[in-house]
Amino acid sequence: MDFNRYIVLFLFSVLSLNADLLCGQQLSGLTIIGNNIGTKTLSEQAVIDAFKAKNNFWSNGKALAVCLPETKTTDATPVCLKLYSKTVSEVQKFWLSQVFQGRSRAPHFFETDQEMIDFVEKTPGAIGAFVNEKNIPVPTELKLQINP
Amino acid sequence: MIYFKRSNPFIHLNNIDFAIVGLIFLMFSSGISAQQRNTQLKVYGHFQYAFDDLRGENSDSYFTLGEQDFFVTSNLSDRISFLGETVVRYDNSTSSKFSPSIERAQLKFDYYKNHSFIVGKMHTPVNYWNDVYHHGRLFYPTIDRPSSFSYLIPIHSLGFRMQGQNLGKLNFGYDLSATNSISSTDIFDSALNKSVTAAVHIKPMEGMRVGASYYNDYMSANKPGAHAGHGSGNSGYTGALNYELTCFSFAYFGKHFEVLSESVYNRNKTDSLGISENYSQFLYAGWRFKEKHVGYGVFDYMDMSEKELHTTPINVIKLGLGYKFDFLYNCTMKVQLERLESGDDHLFHNHNRISYDIRFQLAYGF
């Protein structure tokens, strides 16, 4: 019995140290775009899973291509915080490690929102996120509806 | 060694030069096709400074140029990708004192969702450390690998592997492989049977991975090969040996708390001395007190049987305290103070060598 109690206490401690996971994440303020990913509607969790490369392919068989703002852009901080709950440096190291393990393909980084839109537009399976402070018009066919 | 006699009598290329020239060529060629293939070349490496045996009579201090790791990935198609890792490291047996070594060269075919088929030379996925960190000191939580990597873990394997990852709610993953024997080379294996690995893991929450594995290799002739990674192979025993390895890993890297436990049980059977049972336990615990600062402790223990014939029987116990400063995402500085006891006697005996060492490491990747 005592042993079980210690296990529960240990797991609780680990969970509480990572409390941000329990609070959920908000993607409001981000523009999420995708091209031919098999759906036009995604849950927040599905978007986060996609950006963390949990799956290599979409349900329609298209290969996942993750698109992120270049790390020195103003978009990088909010995008990393909302999608990964990490700082820009932590996200950079996350991807460095993922690729080094051979478990994921490297993401694509873009200096401007327009460059990302152009890339996603011509790359089936691509998904991208940016803040769109300049209100750049996004092609309707790329817009994704994100449900909480 | 090749000489370009007509163009320049003073230019000659040895192995290391060839590696550098090849990589430069690769960089240019990758630039041409990067748009289509997303080919990437990255370099990892480290420098080290050590002050050994702080209180002993044979103290020494020295700088070390660590492994320089050239890492390339390329998408050949939507479903086929290549990963290569070539390391240049110090080698006293060559004229340049450095030699290149192909550590990984693998083609991966994603045949269905998150299921893949991999062929080539890879790191044997027996535990978390060997599957995740490879030669990238930048990712190591401590300065060194666990001691078991020098004696018990079959680091590399050449053959094929079935892999699955992030399956279901627990993010279940598996690796099943059939590869050349520990005693083989990178081009030949005299044995008909292959070594087999079965590894499973789950990632029940962000940052956590729990895994277990079993590895078996029947060697008709025990000899140090390309895939052992055992720097201390026992060249004195060349008879048959059945090598079994069971590993259990627990890793958790959260916002603040970090822990990595690597447990190893190795059972070797020979006709001459019978069964030897070897154990190893590595434990790392760290606390990230700011985004870039980690304080940590490390415990590394290895207990080998006196009947051990596959490798040199040695016992190790290491206790260390360290500090890691991630001053850039791709550059890390570590300092580690450690007490190391090692020898062929049982642990905690006075016959073993005891030293207090301090090490500094600068690791980078770009």
Side-chain angles (χ1 to χ4, degrees):
Chain A
M1 267 320 260
D2 280 349
F3 184 66
N4 288 343
R5 196 190 310 162
Y6 286 128
I7 290 176
V8 170
L9 274 173
F10 173 74
L11 289 175
F12 179 78
S13 308
V14 170
L15 284 168
S16 58
L17 288 169
N18 222 24
D20 52 335
L21 288 170
L22 305 175
C23 303
Q25 301 176 52
Q26 299 293 317
L27 301 186
S28 59
L30 295 187
T31 300
I32 311 288
I33 57 174
N35 179 5
N36 199 1
I37 62 171
T39 180
K40 286 285 177 193
T41 307
L42 287 171
S43 68
E44 283 196 344
Q45 191 55 51
V47 172
I48 290 165
D49 286 346
F51 276 94
K52 289 181 178 176
K54 186 177 171 186
N55 298 305
N56 294 327
F57 297 93
W58 297 100
S59 57
N60 62 359
K62 296 293 178 193
L64 171 76
V66 172
C67 302
L68 292 167
E70 184 62 51
T71 52
K72 288 183 179 171
T73 61
T74 53
D75 280 12
T77 299
V79 167
C80 290
L81 200 61
K82 287 170 187 279
L83 286 171
Y84 297 89
S85 298
K86 292 178 189 289
T87 64
V88 174
S89 287
E90 287 171 335
V91 170
Q92 284 177 291
K93 192 152 190 178
F94 165 80
W95 276 110
L96 211 57
S97 174
Q98 284 290 113
V99 174
F100 194 64
Q101 290 172 46
R103 292 189 177 270
S104 302
R105 295 175 182 200
H108 303 263
F109 292 98
F110 299 92
E111 297 272 356
T112 66
D113 298 348
Q114 190 59 57
E115 285 177 19
M116 189 189 296
I117 292 168
D118 293 343
F119 179 84
V120 171
E121 204 165 20
K122 63 185 180 186
T123 311
I127 186 168
F130 53 96
V131 177
N132 203 6
E133 275 183 339
K134 294 177 183 171
N135 286 320
I136 294 172
V138 177
T140 316
E141 65 274 15
L142 298 184
K143 281 183 182 171
L144 297 177
Q145 187 185 331
I146 310 301
N147 296 328
Chain B
M1 197 173 283
I2 288 179
Y3 292 85
F4 293 92
K5 291 180 182 173
R6 290 188 182 180
S7 56
N8 187 335
F10 301 107
I11 295 176
H12 64 275
L13 297 179
N14 56 21
N15 285 346
I16 184 100
D17 298 329
F18 260 122
I20 291 166
V21 169
L23 285 163
I24 290 169
F25 174 78
L26 188 64
M27 286 171 75
F28 281 108
S29 61
S30 66
I32 293 165
S33 56
Q35 288 290 354
Q36 292 81 32
R37 293 183 190 158
N38 195 20
T39 298
Q40 292 194 356
L41 173 71
K42 295 199 178 292
V43 179
Y44 296 90
H46 71 281
F47 305 110
Q48 212 160 286
Y49 171 74
F51 197 123
D52 286 345
D53 205 5
L54 291 169
R55 63 172 195 170
E57 294 178 353
N58 298 315
S59 301
D60 47 33
S61 74
Y62 50 92
F63 292 95
T64 300
L65 175 58
E67 293 179 341
Q68 305 300 303
D69 183 340
F70 300 92
F71 178 77
V72 62
T73 54
S74 186
N75 299 332
L76 307 189
S77 75
D78 276 355
R79 292 190 177 270
I80 300 176
S81 57
F82 173 81
L83 183 156
E85 186 181 16
T86 300
V87 167
V88 179
R89 63 163 70 87
Y90 180 77
D91 181 353
N92 195 35
S93 64
T94 65
S95 58
S96 67
K97 302 300 180 189
F98 283 89
S99 67
S101 162
I102 295 175
E103 302 293 334
R104 283 190 285 174
Q106 58 189 61
L107 272 174
K108 182 178 179 184
F109 173 48
D110 299 317
Y111 62 92
Y112 177 69
K113 291 188 176 177
N114 284 1
H115 302 269
S116 311
F117 178 83
I118 301 169
V119 63
K121 184 174 181 181
M122 58 203 100
H123 275 208
T124 321
V126 289
N127 60 13
Y128 182 87
W129 194 291
N130 208 34
D131 194 33
V132 172
Y133 298 140
H134 307 282
H135 293 267
R137 298 297 194 286
L138 178 68
F139 306 110
Y140 285 18
T142 60
I143 283 186
D144 296 317
R145 299 188 292 196
S147 300
S148 57
F149 276 67
S150 299
Y151 298 91
L152 302 176
I153 304 294
I155 296 173
H156 302 109
S157 45
L158 174 63
F160 77 86
R161 170 173 166 185
M162 311 292 288
Q163 183 182 74
Q165 58 177 339
N166 297 324
L167 306 171
K169 286 187 177 178
L170 287 176
N171 293 308
F172 174 78
Y174 67 86
D175 289 281
L176 304 168
S177 66
T179 57
N180 277 354
S181 167
I182 289 174
S183 291
S184 69
T185 69
D186 277 336
I187 55 168
F188 183 69
D189 183 5
S190 59
L192 279 177
N193 64 296
K194 300 292 109 182
S195 65
V196 291
T197 309
V200 292
H201 69 260
I202 54 168
K203 292 188 274 185
M205 58 185 285
E206 183 81 15
M208 181 184 286
R209 181 172 138 165
V210 187
S213 74
Y214 173 77
Y215 176 94
N216 178 236
D217 185 17
Y218 176 78
M219 290 168 256
S220 55
N222 179 63
K223 54 188 176 187
H227 305 295
H230 306 162
S232 306
N234 179 9
S235 54
Y237 176 71
T238 54
L241 187 142
N242 188 45
Y243 179 96
E244 290 179 281
L245 186 78
T246 307
C247 299
F248 179 78
S249 304
F250 176 85
Y252 175 73
F253 289 84
K255 275 279 184 200
H256 295 290
F257 181 55
E258 301 179 347
V259 62
L260 173 59
S261 169
E262 296 282 16
S263 309
V264 176
Y265 168 64
N266 170 225
R267 184 179 185 272
N268 295 329
K269 187 178 180 184
T270 58
D271 290 336
S272 52
L273 290 184
I275 293 170
S276 71
E277 293 182 297
N278 308 313
Y279 306 91
S280 169
Q281 174 63 49
F282 174 87
L283 183 64
Y284 158 87
W287 182 261
R288 188 172 288 275
F289 53 94
K290 282 186 178 176
E291 184 198 334
K292 297 179 176 180
H293 303 268
V294 183
Y296 65 84
V298 61
F299 168 76
D300 191 2
Y301 170 83
M302 192 170 65
D303 185 6
M304 297 182 74
S305 166
E306 292 168 352
K307 295 178 183 176
E308 172 58 24
L309 287 175
H310 173 60
T311 183
T312 309
I314 191 166
N315 299 307
V316 172
I317 186 161
K318 183 162 82 175
L319 290 164
L321 287 173
Y323 163 72
K324 185 169 78 146
F325 177 32
D326 297 324
F327 58 96
L328 291 171
Y329 82 94
N330 54 4
C331 208
T332 291
M333 192 274 285
K334 294 175 209 138
V335 55
Q336 189 169 304
L337 175 66
E338 60 193 39
R339 176 193 183 277
L340 176 67
E341 176 182 343
S342 64
D344 55 6
D345 203 350
H346 288 293
L347 293 170
F348 312 115
H349 281 206
N350 292 330
H351 302 298
N352 291 329
R353 182 177 182 273
I354 296 174
S355 68
Y356 290 84
D357 310 328
I358 187 162
R359 294 171 195 277
F360 298 84
Q361 186 182 77
L362 196 60
Y364 50 85
F366 52 87

